[in-house]
């Protein structure tokens, strides 16, 4: 109890309520995606072509399969880089968040009672954002809002006979990193209901205790469904989508066993009394041990899959001794996507991928050196578009942050620390981890397409059915995400 008579956690939550934390994390996520686009664009990767980003659902005035800057050999007007729109969205969203938060904090002064009295301010702030998202009028990034909703609908309700496109894979994976944010959004709505407080999350009893874990599991269910669709496609001859689906399936026990920890507390409180509610370790109970085991399995499996399959690195790859040694690095062709833009812009047509150094010309015209062939650090791969230390650092950071997976997915831990900044920092760390993940995931997809000589492969498993991309002549290369 503080000198003011208010518990520190309650005071902290009153000064920065959960609804505003949801808005701040959403703003950070949009900004992270904008920097992903900028970084890939600066490294010479045509992210629009590499991710097969579509403009479906918003017919342009004129269509062409060529990029906006080149048609019939004639130069067109300057193409707007794809990241500029998302920087603008981040700026507008940040201004709205800042204005509404300053209004709230100036009215409540961090007092819990006053915070409840002015809870309509964060409620209005979120309501305006959600209303604008589905607004049919052509204002405030109508094109990007329509693309987002269309992509979300396609990921959740696409037909089981349709291929899963790489842009949808990235979108759904990014969505899994916001599972806790999605749960926080649900709790925020509950806080606005009569009888609840904005300074503390409501305590759900009975069947309601399973609503929050179900909401948090939705992103993993979407990705799980995508993997099963990929596995069932007639063109698929690999079991990899099935093992990928297993990775997402391991998240469900973590989420629901966490919700079951209230049963653990009830059982142990009969023996130890109310002091058990202040403890975090309950290893004597079988449900707690099952939750801990499922969290470890999910974290290690996800980390291994990130490094081995999402990034294509060989450090953790399981290989049979009978397998022949892979061929040496070969020169990669530079085919064009349907947009007519090379995936990688390389200076000098005679340069070979076997050389120690190849220079790529990023989209902004600068020259960036990239190492290829043998790497100084064993266990990576023969083709690298980033410096070697980037991969080593990202493997280490990804391992550390993956080990916090149980915190991100465990609602019983959130309820214990939701009134302070611990969980907020964990959520920020997860967004940062996903931000780093995107760079290597897109890079590996580009390399696979170039090595396979199949730049029009649209699904994650290399489905060779081309997807008709319609890109506007005016250069509206706005990504789907």
């Amino acid at each position: 109890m503080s000198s003011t008579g208010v518990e520190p956690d309650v005071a902290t939550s009153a000064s920065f309520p959960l609804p505003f934390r949801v808005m701040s994390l959403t703003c950070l996520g949009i900004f992270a995606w904008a920097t992903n686009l900028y970084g890939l664009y600066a490294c010479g990767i045509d992210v629009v072509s590499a991710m097969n980003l579509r403009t479906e659902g918003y017919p342009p005035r004129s269509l062409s399969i060529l990029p906006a800057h080149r048609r019939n050999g004639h130069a067109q007007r300057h193409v707007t880089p794809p990241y500029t729109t998302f920087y603008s969205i981040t700026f507008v969203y940040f201004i709205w968040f800042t204005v509404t938060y300053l209004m709230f904090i100036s009215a409540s002064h961090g007092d819990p009672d006053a915070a409840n009295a002015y809870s309509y301010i964060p409620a209005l702030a979120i309501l305006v954002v959600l209303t604008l998202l589905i607004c049919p009028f052509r204002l405030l990034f109508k094109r990007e809002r329509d693309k987002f909703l269309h992509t979300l609908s396609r990921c959740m309700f696409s037909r089981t006979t349709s291929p899963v496109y790489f842009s949808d894979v990235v979108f759904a994976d990014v969505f899994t990193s916001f599972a806790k944010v999605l749960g926080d959004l649900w709790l925020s709505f509950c806080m606005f209901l009569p009888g609840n407080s904005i300074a503390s999350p409501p305590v759900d009893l009975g069947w309601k205790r399973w609503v929050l874990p179900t909401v948090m599991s939705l992103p993993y269910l979407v990705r799980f469904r995508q993997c099963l669709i990929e596995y069932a496609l007639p063109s698929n001859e690999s079991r990899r989508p099935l093992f990928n689906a297993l990775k997402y399936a391991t998240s469900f026990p973590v989420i629901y066993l966490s919700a079951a920890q209230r049963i653990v507390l009830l059982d142990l409180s009969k023996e130890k009394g109310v002091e058990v509610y202040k403890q975090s370790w309950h290893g004597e109970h079988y449900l707690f041990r099952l939750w801990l085991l499922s969290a470890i399995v999910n974290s290690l499996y996800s980390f291994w899959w990130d490094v081995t399959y999402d990034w294509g690195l060989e450090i953790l790859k399981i290989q049979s001794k009978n397998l022949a040694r892979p061929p040496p690095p070969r020169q990669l062709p530079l085919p064009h996507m349907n947009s007519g833009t090379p995936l990688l812009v390389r200076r000098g047509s005679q340069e070979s991928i076997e050389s120690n150094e190849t220079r790529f010309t990023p989209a902004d015209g600068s020259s960036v050196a990239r190492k290829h062939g043998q790497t100084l650090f064993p266990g990576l791969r023969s083709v690298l578009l980033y410096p070697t230390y980037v991969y080593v650092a990202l493997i280490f950071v990804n391992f550390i942050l993956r080990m916090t997976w149980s915190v991100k997915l465990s609602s019983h831990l959130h309820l214990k620390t939701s009134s302070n900044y611990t969980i907020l920092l964990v959520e920020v760390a997860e967004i940062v981890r996903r931000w780093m993940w995107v760079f290597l995931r897109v890079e590996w997809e580009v390399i696979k397409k170039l090595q396979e000589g199949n730049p029009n492969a649209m699904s994650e498993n290399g489905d060779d059915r081309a997807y008709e991309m319609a890109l506007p002549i005016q250069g509206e290369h706005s990504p789907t995400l």
Side-chain angles (χ1 to χ4, degrees):
M1 188 76 66
S2 66
S3 59
T4 59
V6 179
E7 293 184 3
D9 285 350
V10 176
T12 301
S13 184
S15 62
F16 194 29
L18 187 62
F20 281 118
R21 279 179 257 173
V22 171
M23 294 185 65
S24 64
L25 291 170
T26 304
C27 184
L28 177 62
I30 301 173
F31 177 74
W33 176 244
T35 55
N36 279 137
L37 296 178
Y38 175 80
L40 293 169
Y41 184 83
C43 291
I45 298 177
D46 179 13
V47 65
V48 176
S49 298
M51 294 185 62
N52 311 123
L53 300 175
R54 308 189 278 181
T55 57
E56 180 182 317
Y58 196 99
R61 293 183 294 274
S62 56
L63 304 178
S64 172
I65 61 173
L66 296 178
H69 64 278
R70 189 185 68 209
R71 183 178 179 178
N72 297 329
H74 300 289
Q76 300 293 319
R77 66 180 63 182
H78 177 69
V79 177
T80 302
Y83 52 82
T84 55
T85 301
F86 286 90
Y87 279 133
S88 300
I89 295 176
T90 304
F91 178 76
V92 173
Y93 188 94
F94 178 76
I95 292 298
W96 174 246
F97 162 75
T98 303
V99 169
T100 54
Y101 177 68
L102 291 179
M103 290 174 56
F104 173 80
I105 201 65
S106 61
S108 65
H109 301 287
D111 180 71
D113 294 332
N116 291 326
Y118 291 99
S119 61
Y120 66 87
I121 296 179
L124 181 63
I126 293 181
L127 180 61
V128 169
V129 172
L130 295 179
T131 303
L132 181 62
L133 182 62
I134 60 176
C135 177
F137 302 110
R138 292 180 179 270
L139 49 86
L140 286 178
F141 315 104
K142 176 68 163 61
R143 182 184 184 86
E144 284 68 31
R145 290 189 283 110
D146 285 350
K147 286 181 179 181
F148 175 83
L149 294 175
H150 182 79
T151 302
L152 183 63
S153 175
R154 187 174 62 243
C155 289
M156 298 182 65
F157 307 111
S158 63
R159 294 178 298 178
T160 57
T161 56
S162 302
V164 179
Y165 303 105
F166 180 57
S167 58
D168 294 347
V169 171
V170 174
F171 178 87
D173 273 322
V174 171
F175 196 31
T176 60
S177 293
F178 284 81
K180 175 60 174 63
V181 180
L182 194 63
D184 287 344
L185 182 61
W186 165 258
L187 289 177
S188 298
F189 290 148
C190 295
M191 289 178 176
F192 297 141
L193 297 177
N196 293 331
S197 172
I198 198 175
S200 60
V203 178
D204 295 326
L205 301 176
W207 64 270
K208 294 182 180 180
R209 75 176 62 172
W210 305 106
V211 175
L212 177 60
T214 300
V215 171
M216 293 176 57
S217 66
L218 288 178
Y220 300 95
L221 183 61
V222 170
R223 192 67 187 94
F224 178 78
R225 178 177 179 269
Q226 287 181 337
C227 295
L228 294 183
I229 291 176
E230 289 178 336
Y231 179 73
L233 288 175
S235 59
N236 176 58
E237 298 179 354
S238 171
R239 291 185 297 176
R240 188 165 74 91
L242 195 60
F243 291 111
N244 199 10
L246 179 62
K247 181 190 74 172
Y248 295 101
T250 60
S251 301
F252 301 133
V254 180
I255 296 173
Y256 284 97
L257 284 173
S258 171
Q261 295 306 300
R262 294 182 181 179
I263 301 177
V264 175
L265 295 177
L266 290 175
D267 290 345
L268 295 181
S269 63
K270 298 177 182 178
E271 302 176 3
K272 299 182 178 181
V274 294
E275 291 297 325
V276 73
Y277 290 93
K278 300 179 181 180
Q279 301 173 0
S280 300
W281 181 264
H282 309 291
E284 63 272 28
H285 200 285
Y286 73 97
L287 283 179
F288 183 88
R289 295 195 297 268
L290 284 177
W291 164 76
L292 186 61
L293 176 63
S294 62
I296 294 175
V297 170
N298 175 261
S299 298
L300 293 178
Y301 193 1
S302 300
F303 169 74
W304 172 74
W305 193 275
D306 284 343
V307 174
T308 305
Y309 290 105
D310 286 347
W311 297 348
L313 305 179
E314 300 176 357
I315 187 171
L316 300 177
K317 191 172 183 179
I318 302 175
Q319 295 180 340
S320 172
K321 296 182 179 180
N322 296 327
L323 293 179
R325 178 176 298 180
R330 58 183 177 86
Q331 182 176 1
L332 297 181
L334 293 176
H336 293 65
M337 298 292 292
N338 289 343
S339 68
T341 305
L343 294 176
L344 294 173
V345 183
R346 190 175 64 178
R347 176 181 297 176
S349 59
Q350 301 300 323
E351 290 178 297
S352 172
I353 200 68
E354 286 125 335
S355 63
N356 183 53
E357 181 176 305
T358 303
R359 288 194 172 270
F360 291 88
T361 303
D364 60 1
S366 61
S367 179
V368 181
R370 294 289 179 261
K371 298 291 184 180
H372 298 285
Q374 299 297 325
T375 63
L376 298 179
F377 190 86
L380 299 183
R381 43 178 149 82
S382 59
V383 180
L384 303 175
L385 301 186
Y386 306 122
T388 304
Y389 65 85
V390 171
Y391 301 88
V392 179
L394 261 59
I395 290 174
F396 175 76
V397 173
N398 189 64
F399 175 78
I400 298 299
L401 297 182
R402 276 294 189 184
M403 291 301 102
T404 64
W405 199 251
S406 60
V407 177
K408 293 189 288 287
L409 297 183
S410 301
S411 56
H412 76 283
L413 296 181
H414 302 161
L415 294 176
K416 288 184 178 181
T417 57
S418 59
S419 296
N420 55 46
Y421 297 121
T422 303
I423 295 299
L424 177 63
L425 294 178
V426 171
E427 291 177 279
V428 170
E430 170 60 13
I431 294 176
V432 172
R433 187 197 68 82
R434 185 62 66 179
W435 171 76
M436 297 185 297
W437 176 91
V438 168
F439 284 111
L440 295 191
R441 182 67 183 92
V442 176
E443 177 222 20
W444 176 232
E445 188 70 14
V446 168
I447 292 174
K448 284 194 300 182
K449 289 180 179 180
L450 296 181
Q451 289 177 330
E452 295 168 1
N454 184 21
N456 290 328
M458 304 305 297
S459 70
E460 188 183 15
N461 293 317
D463 187 355
D464 59 2
R465 284 179 289 181
Y467 185 154
E468 295 182 359
M469 289 179 60
L471 296 180
I473 297 300
Q474 277 70 22
E476 296 173 322
H477 279 42
S478 301
T480 303
L481 299 182

